Structure formats: structure tokens, C-alpha cells
Amino acid sequence: LLLRHEKKSSEVLGKNRWQALAAFVGVPFPGTGAWTGAMIAFVIGMPIAEAVSSIFVGVLSAGLIVAALVKAGKVGGIIVAAALAGFLIASRFGSKPSSSNAQTAS
């Protein structure tokens, strides 16, 4: 079962798995920490050095995000929440690039 998921996830993530794991661990929500990141790294078959560095960067960025929110206080938290909500709404309902822009010059 784990080998099947490892093969499937390596096809999906490709070379971006380091960044994807760091981003997942770096989001300061419950269940997205270093332990969960270590389990994900094991399942997708990341080498230990790559997994540890990715998890370290993720934990460091999560700590910086939480420290910035604590330092900013209530008003700063509301501003960050509004900015994140705006970003999520814009990315969800934003325009998709058309295929004509992706053409290369011959």
C-alpha cells in the first residue's frame, strides 16, 4: 500500500517535493507540523537529508509567522486574516491564463 502511494506521489510532485513539504509544514495550522511532515516524507520516499532540511525550513517559517502574528497583536491578526482571505478569493475566482499566451516563438 505504501509503495503504491509513494510511486503515485512521486509522479505528482516531481522535483517540487522539497518546496511542497516545506510549505505544508510551514503553515501554522494543527496537523501540519514536523511530525506530519516526517510521515509525508517517508510515504513519498524522500531521502533523509532532503526531508530534514525541508521540515526544518517549514518549522522555521511557521515559527516566524506565529511570532509576527503575536507581535502584531489583534489588529495585525485581523489585517493578516483579511489579506489571506482576499488572496484565497482572488486565487479561487481569478482568471486562468489562456493557452494562446503559452505559445512559443518558432
Side-chain angles (χ1 to χ4, degrees):
L1 179 67
L2 288 178
L3 293 176
R4 183 178 67 196
H5 288 292
E6 178 183 344
K7 182 179 177 187
K8 190 176 194 180
S9 63
S10 66
E11 292 171 1
V12 172
L13 292 174
K15 297 181 186 255
N16 295 327
R17 63 186 182 178
W18 190 93
Q19 293 91 345
L21 184 61
F24 176 80
V25 173
V27 175
F29 288 130
T32 61
W35 286 101
T36 308
M39 287 187 285
I40 291 171
F42 174 76
V43 169
I44 64 174
M46 286 180 78
I48 291 176
E50 185 180 354
V52 168
S53 65
S54 178
I55 291 168
F56 176 76
V57 169
V59 168
L60 186 65
S61 64
L64 290 173
I65 291 169
V66 170
L69 286 174
V70 168
K71 184 75 174 165
K74 184 189 267 187
V75 175
I78 292 170
I79 291 170
V80 169
L84 285 174
F87 174 74
L88 291 174
I89 290 170
S91 66
R92 174 81 172 148
F93 298 111
S95 63
K96 305 250 190 242
S98 64
S99 60
S100 62
N101 292 341
Q103 294 176 355
T104 58
S106 338

